[in-house]
């Protein structure tokens, strides 16, 4: 009956998407953000995240603290289409020509609730398009048996989005948040000047929150004129691991001096979320379909569990150093997003006749490419610049405001200043330009006994994300 009332998966898919598609935002540290490419020369404490083999490049003791601040400018316009005859299928052969009639209006709709002509609902956007990704790490290279050590604490998934409660997206999301915290020790070993290998585990804490309205067909809407709201809070503890490698062929062949190759791998992160679903706002007649003995004003509670695999990621990079004056490099990322094919949510006790919900996603593996470099001026100032391409893992048919990603291009600039006494300050600015989406084949369609006469068809145009990264480092 409740079909696609997916009260948990939305929270898990609502992370602010910046780079490497979908969930993960692999922008840790202003030095990395400024030049985009970093895997072959991760020469500060953010190596714990980007490529732990870089611990061998950081002399002595180093402490880095950083934050990446994300500012999003985006909106979603739902487009409603008439049906083909009385089939219940949308006729998307004509573009929208104007605004939709008001919801519940006596005219402008057919007998099944479909609009008579293609039209647009008012555009909606998040109330706050802000997110922050914190990072802190300490590294130590004792120059002992080729070993180096690091410990990082960071959050590569940290976003909150709140949408209008009366917006056209309310049957998908009105509030979504996901936060992860990683604690990651790492060890690097350099058995030969040309080679460094490294790895370590991560302890991961994740929490999620989600709220949405439940769509009702017209016969039940007459019995329940107000909205029914579902919300969930969930949390999970889990573990993951990462590994890295650096190879400097110039240590074997002088003609290749200055060349560096890097590879790193982050394992998938299995999250078993447990939380409580709350359903509020049902009238007595509708509430009885959800829970026998329901009384108006009662909050219906259900325990829910779901598993989500944050995808594993393979990163490779190549770099070339022109002594201490300049460096250029390029990276490629592969993210295993096909793991996120569907999400099944299981209720400890059925909600009426429903024991589980399932939402199809059909995500695809995605690729990202980055290139950049830096130049050093007077030994105290580094200037950086980079650009990148990132492929979205989400097909149009399963796109929603809960996974607001698109294929994108970006550019970045930055700089770092060595201030004396071992202190360094780095800043970077990054802009991402998202491809427009015009969706006419959406499979995301609310259901309550019957399918809604609308879907997540719509337009996301002119999306731009700005990122400002700040990093303070200290070396002794």
């Amino acid at each position: 009956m409740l079909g696609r009332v997916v009260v948990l998966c939305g929270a898990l898919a609502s992370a602010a998407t910046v780079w490497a598609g979908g969930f993960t935002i692999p922008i840790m540290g202003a030095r990395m953000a400024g030049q985009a490419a970093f895997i072959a020369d991760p020469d500060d404490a953010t190596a714990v995240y980007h490529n732990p083999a870089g611990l061998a490049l950081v002399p002595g003791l180093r402490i880095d603290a950083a934050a990446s601040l994300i500012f999003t400018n985006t909106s979603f316009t739902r487009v409603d289409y008439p049906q083909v005859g009385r089939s219940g299928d949308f006729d998307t052969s004509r573009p929208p020509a104007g605004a939709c009639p008001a919801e519940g209006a006596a005219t402008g709709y057919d007998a099944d609730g479909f609009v008579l002509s293609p039209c647009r609902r008012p555009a909606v956007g998040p109330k706050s398009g802000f997110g922050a990704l914190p990072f802190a790490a300490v590294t130590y290279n004792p120059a002992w048996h080729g070993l180096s050590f690091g410990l990082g604490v960071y959050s590569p998934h940290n976003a909150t989005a709140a949408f209008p409660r009366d917006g056209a997206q309310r049957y998908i999301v009105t509030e979504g948040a996901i936060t992860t915290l990683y604690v990651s020790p790492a060890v690097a070993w350099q058995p030969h000047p040309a080679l460094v290998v490294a790895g370590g585990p991560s302890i991961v804490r994740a929490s999620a929150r989600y709220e949405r309205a439940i769509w009702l067909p017209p016969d039940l809407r007459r019995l329940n004129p107000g909205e029914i709201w579902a919300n969930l809070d969930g949390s999970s503890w889990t573990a993951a691991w990462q590994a890295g490698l650096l190879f400097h062929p110039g240590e074997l062949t002088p003609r290749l001096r200055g060349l560096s190759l890097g590879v790193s791998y982050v394992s998938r992160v299995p999250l078993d979320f447990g939380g409580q679903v709350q359903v509020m706002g049902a009238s007595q007649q509708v509430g009885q379909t959800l829970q026998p003995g329901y009384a108006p004003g009662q909050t219906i509670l259900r325990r829910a569990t779901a598993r989500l695999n944050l995808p594993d990621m393979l990163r490779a990079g190549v770099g070339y150093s022109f002594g201490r004056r300049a460096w250029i490099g390029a990276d490629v990322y592969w993210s295993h997003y096909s793991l996120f094919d569907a999400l099944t949510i299981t209720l400890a006790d059925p909600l009426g006749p429903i024991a589980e919900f399932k939402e199809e996603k059909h995500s695809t593996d995605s690729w990202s490419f980055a290139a950049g470099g830096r130049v050093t001026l007077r030994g105290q100032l580094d200037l950086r610049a980079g650009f990148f391409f990132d492929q979205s893992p989400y097909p149009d048919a399963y796109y929603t405001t809960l996974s607001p990603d698109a294929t994108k291009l970006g550019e970045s600039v930055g700089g770092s200043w060595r201030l004396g006494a071992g202190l360094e300050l780095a800043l970077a600015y990054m802009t991402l330009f998202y491809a427009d989406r015009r969706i006419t084949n959406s499979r995301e369609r609310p259901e309550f006994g019957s399918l809604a006469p609308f879907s997540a068809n719509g337009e996301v145009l002119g999306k731009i994300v700005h990122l400002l990264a700040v990093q303070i480092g200290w070396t002794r």
Side-chain angles (χ1 to χ4, degrees):
M1 180 189 288
L2 291 179
R4 292 179 182 267
V5 181
V6 186
V7 293
L8 177 59
C9 97
L12 305 182
S14 64
T17 52
V18 174
W19 181 8
F23 306 108
T24 306
I25 308 175
I27 302 174
M28 294 294 167
R31 298 169 94 245
M32 177 271 172
Q35 65 190 49
F38 205 65
I39 301 303
D41 189 37
D43 59 348
D44 63 19
T46 65
V48 172
Y49 173 77
H50 296 295
N51 182 355
L55 297 175
L57 304 180
V58 186
L61 175 68
R62 182 175 175 109
I63 300 173
D64 276 295
S68 298
L69 309 178
I70 302 166
F71 304 89
T72 303
N73 177 22
T74 185
S75 65
F76 169 74
T77 301
R78 199 182 86 196
V79 176
D80 291 353
Y81 291 95
Q83 64 175 322
V84 179
R86 297 294 299 275
S87 66
D89 296 327
F90 296 111
D91 178 3
T92 61
S93 61
R94 294 176 292 156
C100 292
E103 295 183 18
T107 59
Y109 297 91
D110 67 14
D112 297 319
F114 289 79
V115 294
L116 296 176
S117 299
C119 57
R120 292 183 175 91
R121 296 291 176 185
V124 296
K127 295 179 181 179
S128 173
F130 174 75
L133 304 174
F135 177 91
V138 57
T139 65
Y140 181 57
N141 187 339
W144 180 73
H145 293 285
L147 293 174
S148 303
F149 307 91
L151 175 65
V153 180
Y154 49 88
S155 177
H157 323 88
N158 188 358
T160 299
F163 294 86
R165 274 186 148 220
D166 60 352
Q169 88 307 319
R170 66 187 181 277
Y171 299 115
I172 296 175
V173 62
T174 54
E175 182 179 349
I178 184 168
T179 302
T180 59
L181 181 67
Y182 285 61
V183 179
S184 302
V187 177
W189 178 46
Q190 188 169 17
H192 186 277
L195 180 66
V196 185
V197 293
S202 291
I203 303 299
V204 183
R205 168 69 173 177
S207 61
R209 175 172 172 77
Y210 178 64
E211 180 189 73
R212 68 175 290 172
I214 298 177
W215 175 81
L216 296 175
D219 57 336
L220 293 180
R221 173 62 67 189
R222 287 190 289 270
L223 300 174
N224 203 114
E227 298 287 6
I228 299 177
W229 296 96
N231 66 60
L232 173 129
D233 287 289
S235 60
S236 176
W237 285 94
T238 190
W241 59 275
Q242 60 272 346
L245 179 146
L246 281 177
F247 179 56
H248 297 102
E251 298 293 339
L252 301 175
T253 304
R255 290 178 299 175
L256 298 179
R257 192 170 301 279
L259 181 66
S260 58
L261 304 172
V263 177
S264 69
Y265 176 79
V266 179
S267 74
R268 69 178 180 177
V269 181
L271 297 175
D272 291 306
F273 275 87
Q276 181 170 268
V277 175
Q278 301 181 24
V279 179
M280 299 163 287
S283 66
Q284 183 169 5
Q285 297 94 324
V286 175
Q288 289 285 348
T289 69
L290 304 176
Q291 179 167 288
Y294 174 83
Q298 179 182 353
T299 297
I300 302 173
L301 303 177
R302 292 291 187 275
R303 299 293 299 176
T305 59
R307 164 164 282 209
L308 171 68
N309 286 310
L310 299 183
D312 50 325
M313 182 164 55
L314 180 65
R315 300 174 283 194
V318 57
Y320 187 82
S321 174
F322 299 89
R324 297 183 178 181
R325 297 171 299 170
W327 181 89
I328 57 173
D331 292 347
V332 58
Y333 289 52
W334 175 81
S335 299
H336 194 187
Y337 271 98
S338 59
L339 288 174
F340 188 48
D341 185 59
L343 182 66
T344 301
I345 298 152
T346 304
L347 301 176
D349 297 300
L351 188 62
I354 302 301
E356 68 177 25
F357 311 121
K358 186 173 183 178
E359 181 169 310
E360 303 287 344
K361 297 306 294 183
H362 297 280
S363 303
T364 59
D365 297 338
S366 66
W367 292 88
S368 304
F369 304 93
R374 67 176 182 267
V375 295
T376 300
L377 304 177
R378 298 184 179 180
Q380 301 299 314
L381 172 64
D382 292 339
L383 298 180
R384 296 178 165 86
F387 68 92
F388 48 87
F389 165 84
D390 179 48
Q391 179 188 32
S392 173
Y394 301 124
D396 279 355
Y398 299 95
Y399 177 92
T400 73
T401 50
L402 293 172
S403 49
D405 192 44
T407 296
K408 66 195 75 70
L409 294 172
E411 58 189 12
S412 63
V413 294
S416 57
W417 297 262
R418 284 169 282 279
L419 305 175
L423 289 174
E424 181 182 16
L425 172 65
L427 299 173
Y429 171 72
M430 180 179 291
T431 307
L432 298 95
F433 302 92
Y434 285 65
D436 291 342
R437 281 191 186 257
R438 291 178 171 87
I439 301 166
T440 60
N441 62 339
S442 176
R443 303 290 298 274
E444 298 295 334
R445 193 170 173 183
E447 181 181 356
F448 195 116
S450 61
L451 290 171
F454 60 88
S455 68
N457 283 324
E459 300 170 340
V460 183
L461 307 177
K463 180 177 179 180
I464 299 176
V465 170
H466 305 275
L467 183 142
L468 177 65
V470 182
Q471 179 176 344
I472 298 176
W474 177 74
T475 303
R476 187 182 70 179

